[in-house]
Amino acid sequence: MQAPLKIGVAGLGTVGASVVRLIDRRANALSAACGRAITVQAVSARSRGRDRGLPLERLRWFDDPVALARDPGIDVFVELIGGEEGPAREAVTAALDAGKPVVTANKALLARHGVDLARRAEKAGVALNFEAAVAGGVPIVKTLREGLLGNTIERVYGILNGTCNYILSRMEAEGLSFEACLKDAQRLGYAEADPTFDVGGFDTAHKLAILTSLAFGTEIDAEAIHVEGITQITPADLAAADELGYRIKLLGVATRTEAGVEQRVHPTMVPKSAPIAQVNGVTNAVAIDADAVQELTLVGPGAGGEATASAVVGDITDIARGFRPAPFGVPAAELAKPARAPMQAHKGGYYVRLSVVDRPGAAAAIATRMAERAISLESIVQRRKGRVHGGDDPAKVAGSVPVILITYATTEAAIRAALEAMMSDGYIAETPQTIRIERE
Amino acid sequence: MQAPLKIGVAGLGTVGASVVRLIDRRANALSAACGRAITVQAVSARSRGRDRGLPLERLRWFDDPVALARDPGIDVFVELIGGEEGPAREAVTAALDAGKPVVTANKALLARHGVDLARRAEKAGVALNFEAAVAGGVPIVKTLREGLLGNTIERVYGILNGTCNYILSRMEAEGLSFEACLKDAQRLGYAEADPTFDVGGFDTAHKLAILTSLAFGTEIDAEAIHVEGITQITPADLAAADELGYRIKLLGVATRTEAGVEQRVHPTMVPKSAPIAQVNGVTNAVAIDADAVQELTLVGPGAGGEATASAVVGDITDIARGFRPAPFGVPAAELAKPARAPMQAHKGGYYVRLSVVDRPGAAAAIATRMAERAISLESIVQRRKGRVHGGDDPAKVAGSVPVILITYATTEAAIRAALEAMMSDGYIAETPQTIRIERE
């Protein structure tokens, strides 16, 4: 049996503390599976005094995570500090440059500096593993980086933020407003006091940037992602979606198109029959379309201390077993430069909710504007004034009638142009709501 | 860059031919990801003349798979012959004993000889990979063997046979009989001319035996599996399940219990809200309950040439990258001896469909027999004679009334004893139908 693998953990929040506990709890099993013991030797965190329920007296303490990363007494550096710059980046860089393998759950760091870090890892000949950075306990990084190498991947998409999925699930199930559900999410600890990062779609975008690189063999290109959050979704949208056979999910979607890779994060209508439509609450799901395997869907916990720690420990065991794939599947030097498909070129169906001014000619004007852009309509729903889908429409505007359109596949450019023309015609009482439709 | 990895493929059916094509199609990507080219050098199959659309003239041909397995010109032996004995076993054994890594999709071989083969692989210091043997293109072996090592697994269960799931899905959706759906499945190529292996649950049992070993670190113990197929399921059962909020799936289930590991394959009622209940048609799904990750569900194609080849190629790339975990996660010598939990000790809820003789005292007698065994009833459904769930009950027996009971958790022993007592009371017109309920 080889010498024990000595781990240093920087960051002792919920996930860090769970990692220390899991490694201890599974010591025998890990040792049997890896042919060597795995032990946490040293830790670093901001506050030494805080009670985390951990036997810290057995572990060496570092105030400075960079010093821990460079310490010759550890074999693997685990970064659970978070943040795309500052101590997390400094410590990970220091560890890799010192020839130590790194395990991290830091999606922001990877979305911003992933390729640079991969280059450093490859130069040092060590692993850089980050299963926990995307969809928590769901083994999607391993699946893309290892299991699906025989496939050309066409699309990867998923529910990557539990906070948003919790809010949308509650809104749908109970007909509540976004604001009410956000408050509940904050009370339950599913959302931060400043929820922008989650509900604005930025957390999903970080994770999507990583998935895109793994799926398509391209350099990470987080700046290219079209990002919309869920703050504008109303109960009326969810009710209309339900009636039309859809659910609304905040998805991150990356698709291979003729114009390049399209990356987008936005509220999306998915058919109720799609596996991803069944995923409610804080659960995450990732679906992959590929030429050989066709469709694969992974569903599981996207957050939580132990679930995320499960992914971190899996990454550590791969290192303990001597496995060292390139961080993004192919060596950083061979990642393709991203070819960005412009959002205006996006093709797909659209849900459009209009407040139409209640006077003659409105319907004809709308239909004409759609026809001018060659947009075909799959369905049109107009109910009697003031009532939509069996309830009062909170988005109702006085003197206007809510009209819901579902289009067949068109382009983002066409739908935007058609809506602008409608607005300037003066028949539309407020900014139209549009939600893209994602087919299975 | 290292020397190319030379592959020998034995068995050129749908999967074998797809493996040869995939490796060729993805040559550049595989080479970039693995740091070495992967090339098929030699093949073996029964009929050399058959047109498989493959460029066989570029490949060396072996009539004898054992000779291919031992050939010094190949680095990895891929076994896609099938069968638990005969040429498949001989060739795999020969390859391992010659120090060559093996990739196989052969669940029957592994269910019967997996531990022996793992010992040989470990002795030779080579990989034995079999992702394709369980749930086709779904990366469940990798997930259990690598990704979830930080977890103590409590239960693994799944829809592991596409034929059965296709038949049950059609029966449910269209109210058709088992026989009618089986015929359709045979016509579409989803079922063999002799369907016993699939519809009798034996194929599911082979796959479950492998999952059990991976999940619980125990020696494979296929003989311990309680196996029931789907041939006795009627449209009346599916309609009753629907009404009570369940679907019926053929599941393989392995659970850690106080009495040992319980392994069973049988038609199962699952709540409609369970992710696995949404899985229809030939698709497979595997769910895992574990202490750290909680619940993880993987859904994808369980069969098909390219999907299965995707898993085979993934296994080959792990070998090309120098990864060599123990075949069953821990070395064969450290696998625990299986502690079989007897089926009579199984705990869970039951669906019971009775044909009750239509005379006074029947209901009281049934209730008494249940009470004697301390079985509590969650629901009782009795409809007017001759009509159950809005349609004629094909299982209706003249002079009898169909009664459906759902029990709270009890034991297999208790329910069997209660039903036997009812039968001997003379109030039951035919053998009761029982279906176990699996909670989320």
Side-chain angles (χ1 to χ4, degrees):
Chain A
M1 191 169 282
Q2 297 177 63
L5 189 75
K6 299 188 287 289
I7 313 293
V9 178
L12 288 177
T14 321
V15 177
S18 293
V19 168
V20 175
R21 272 191 291 267
L22 267 197
I23 290 175
D24 186 54
R25 193 161 85 203
R26 290 281 291 169
N28 292 339
L30 296 177
S31 171
C34 302
R36 61 195 300 191
I38 296 175
T39 59
V40 178
Q41 292 275 326
V43 293
S44 172
R46 263 185 297 196
S47 153
R48 187 166 187 170
R50 201 179 129 208
D51 182 14
R52 301 172 175 91
L54 295 175
L56 290 185
E57 63 284 357
R58 285 196 342 232
L59 309 173
R60 288 190 295 137
W61 180 272
F62 287 78
D63 286 321
D64 176 10
V66 178
L68 171 60
R70 291 199 181 113
D71 187 80
I74 67 153
D75 302 316
V76 177
F77 180 67
V78 176
E79 185 272 306
L80 301 168
I81 301 165
E84 66 182 56
E85 303 292 345
R89 185 182 177 196
E90 286 162 36
V92 168
T93 307
L96 294 173
D97 292 351
K100 287 188 209 302
V102 167
V103 175
T104 176
N106 190 333
K107 54 214 171 251
L109 175 68
L110 290 161
R112 185 110 175 83
H113 303 293
V115 178
D116 171 63
L117 297 174
R119 276 197 202 98
R120 290 173 191 267
E122 290 162 22
K123 192 176 163 200
V126 297
L128 168 61
N129 290 345
F130 46 86
E131 186 62 82
V134 184
V138 179
I140 183 62
V141 172
K142 190 172 258 297
T143 296
L144 287 170
R145 191 163 77 172
E146 304 163 26
L148 297 186
L149 284 179
N151 292 262
T152 300
I153 292 171
E154 299 302 328
R155 181 172 61 156
V156 56
Y157 62 107
I159 296 169
L160 301 172
N161 182 277
T163 309
C164 289
N165 205 50
Y166 171 83
I167 291 172
L168 291 172
S169 301
R170 285 284 310 272
M171 287 177 70
E172 182 193 321
E174 299 171 44
L176 298 173
S177 71
F178 168 77
E179 289 74 17
C181 294
L182 172 60
K183 266 191 198 139
D184 268 5
Q186 286 170 323
R187 194 172 45 76
L188 292 163
Y190 294 155
E192 308 283 338
D194 176 359
T196 314
F197 193 65
D198 288 320
V199 301
F202 306 106
D203 174 72
T204 300
H206 281 158
K207 294 164 179 169
L208 181 66
I210 297 168
L211 289 182
T212 303
S213 176
L214 289 164
F216 302 119
T218 48
E219 287 184 3
I220 287 186
D221 188 20
E223 291 72 29
I225 301 175
H226 174 90
V227 183
E228 296 171 27
I230 63 168
T231 55
Q232 301 306 314
I233 300 296
T234 68
D237 295 321
L238 286 154
D242 181 55
E243 187 175 327
L244 294 159
Y246 295 92
R247 295 215 167 95
I248 300 177
K249 300 290 183 189
L250 183 76
L251 294 191
V253 184
T255 314
R256 185 192 297 275
T257 75
E258 284 175 15
V261 174
E262 182 181 288
Q263 296 183 85
R264 49 201 166 82
V265 172
H266 52 70
T268 310
M269 306 230 315
V270 291
K272 282 184 191 173
S273 60
I276 215 158
Q278 325 295 334
V279 176
N280 292 315
V282 294
T283 303
N284 279 202
V286 187
I288 296 155
D289 293 341
D291 60 346
V293 82
Q294 301 294 326
E295 191 176 354
L296 195 63
T297 307
L298 281 62
V299 183
E306 290 242 323
T308 309
S310 162
V312 171
V313 174
D315 278 353
I316 293 171
T317 59
D318 275 352
I319 292 168
R321 282 165 157 179
F323 191 34
R324 206 183 58 204
F328 290 97
V330 300
E334 297 188 41
L335 290 170
K337 297 288 166 200
R340 298 178 177 183
M343 194 60 197
Q344 291 295 312
H346 167 69
K347 284 180 188 159
Y350 286 78
Y351 156 99
V352 181
R353 179 165 54 76
L354 300 167
S355 285
V356 179
V357 176
D358 199 7
R359 59 185 161 87
I366 291 167
T368 303
R369 291 311 190 182
M370 290 297 207
E372 281 171 1
R373 306 285 165 173
I375 300 169
S376 301
L377 298 177
E378 185 185 298
S379 52
I380 305 174
V381 181
Q382 181 185 333
R383 292 284 158 77
R384 71 174 186 278
K385 205 170 153 182
R387 284 184 61 83
V388 183
H389 311 296
D392 283 339
D393 180 4
K396 186 201 149 199
V397 175
S400 72
V401 183
V403 172
I404 285 158
L405 311 175
I406 299 281
T407 79
Y408 283 110
T410 177
T411 65
E412 183 85 10
I415 200 90
R416 293 292 158 216
L419 293 175
E420 264 178 44
M422 282 179 216
M423 293 290 285
S424 59
D425 287 342
Y427 286 110
I428 308 294
E430 57 172 12
T431 309
Q433 170 77 299
T434 55
I435 303 177
R436 296 173 195 86
I437 298 171
E438 195 75 20
R439 308 280 175 191
E440 270 184 278
Chain B
M1 192 167 282
Q2 296 177 64
L5 190 75
K6 299 190 286 292
I7 312 294
V9 177
L12 288 177
T14 321
V15 177
S18 293
V19 167
V20 175
R21 270 192 293 267
L22 267 197
I23 290 176
D24 186 53
R25 195 161 84 203
R26 291 280 292 168
N28 292 340
L30 296 177
S31 172
C34 302
R36 63 195 298 190
I38 296 176
T39 58
V40 177
Q41 293 274 327
V43 293
S44 171
R46 262 185 298 196
S47 153
R48 186 165 188 172
R50 202 179 127 206
D51 182 16
R52 301 169 176 92
L54 295 176
L56 290 185
E57 62 284 357
R58 285 194 344 231
L59 309 173
R60 286 191 295 138
W61 180 273
F62 287 78
D63 286 321
D64 177 10
V66 177
L68 172 59
R70 292 198 181 114
D71 187 79
I74 67 155
D75 302 315
V76 178
F77 180 67
V78 176
E79 185 272 306
L80 302 167
I81 302 166
E84 66 182 57
E85 303 292 346
R89 185 182 179 199
E90 286 163 34
V92 167
T93 307
L96 294 173
D97 291 351
K100 288 188 208 302
V102 167
V103 175
T104 176
N106 190 335
K107 54 215 172 251
L109 175 68
L110 290 161
R112 185 109 176 83
H113 302 294
V115 178
D116 171 63
L117 296 175
R119 276 197 201 97
R120 291 171 190 267
E122 290 161 22
K123 192 175 163 202
V126 296
L128 168 60
N129 290 345
F130 45 85
E131 185 63 81
V134 185
V138 179
I140 182 64
V141 173
K142 189 170 260 296
T143 295
L144 286 169
R145 190 163 77 173
E146 304 164 26
L148 297 185
L149 285 179
N151 291 261
T152 301
I153 292 170
E154 298 303 328
R155 180 173 60 155
V156 56
Y157 63 106
I159 296 169
L160 301 172
N161 182 278
T163 309
C164 290
N165 206 50
Y166 170 83
I167 291 172
L168 290 172
S169 300
R170 284 284 311 269
M171 287 177 71
E172 182 193 323
E174 300 171 43
L176 298 173
S177 71
F178 168 77
E179 290 75 16
C181 294
L182 172 60
K183 264 190 200 141
D184 268 5
Q186 286 170 322
R187 195 172 45 76
L188 292 162
Y190 296 155
E192 308 283 336
D194 177 359
T196 315
F197 192 65
D198 289 319
V199 302
F202 306 106
D203 174 72
T204 300
H206 281 159
K207 294 164 179 168
L208 181 66
I210 297 168
L211 289 181
T212 304
S213 176
L214 289 164
F216 303 119
T218 48
E219 287 185 3
I220 287 185
D221 188 21
E223 291 72 28
I225 302 176
H226 174 90
V227 183
E228 296 172 26
I230 63 168
T231 55
Q232 301 305 312
I233 300 297
T234 69
D237 295 321
L238 286 155
D242 181 54
E243 186 174 330
L244 295 160
Y246 294 93
R247 295 217 166 95
I248 300 177
K249 300 290 183 189
L250 183 76
L251 294 190
V253 185
T255 314
R256 185 191 297 277
T257 75
E258 284 174 16
V261 175
E262 182 181 289
Q263 297 183 85
R264 49 200 166 83
V265 172
H266 52 68
T268 310
M269 305 230 314
V270 291
K272 283 183 190 174
S273 61
I276 215 159
Q278 324 297 333
V279 176
N280 292 316
V282 293
T283 303
N284 279 202
V286 186
I288 297 156
D289 292 343
D291 59 348
V293 83
Q294 302 294 325
E295 190 176 354
L296 194 61
T297 307
L298 280 63
V299 183
E306 291 242 322
T308 309
S310 162
V312 171
V313 174
D315 279 353
I316 293 171
T317 60
D318 275 353
I319 292 168
R321 284 166 157 178
F323 190 35
R324 207 184 56 205
F328 290 97
V330 299
E334 298 187 41
L335 290 170
K337 297 287 166 201
R340 299 178 175 182
M343 192 62 198
Q344 291 294 312
H346 168 69
K347 284 181 190 158
Y350 286 78
Y351 156 99
V352 181
R353 179 164 55 75
L354 300 167
S355 285
V356 179
V357 176
D358 199 8
R359 59 185 161 86
I366 290 168
T368 304
R369 292 310 190 183
M370 289 298 207
E372 282 171 0
R373 306 287 166 172
I375 300 169
S376 300
L377 297 177
E378 184 185 298
S379 52
I380 305 175
V381 180
Q382 180 184 333
R383 291 286 157 77
R384 72 176 186 278
K385 202 170 152 184
R387 284 182 61 81
V388 183
H389 311 296
D392 283 341
D393 182 3
K396 187 201 149 202
V397 175
S400 72
V401 182
V403 173
I404 286 160
L405 311 174
I406 299 281
T407 77
Y408 284 109
T410 177
T411 64
E412 182 85 11
I415 200 89
R416 295 290 158 217
L419 292 175
E420 264 179 42
M422 282 178 214
M423 294 290 286
S424 60
D425 287 343
Y427 286 110
I428 308 293
E430 56 172 15
T431 310
Q433 169 77 300
T434 56
I435 303 178
R436 295 173 195 87
I437 298 171
E438 196 74 20
R439 308 278 175 191
E440 272 184 276

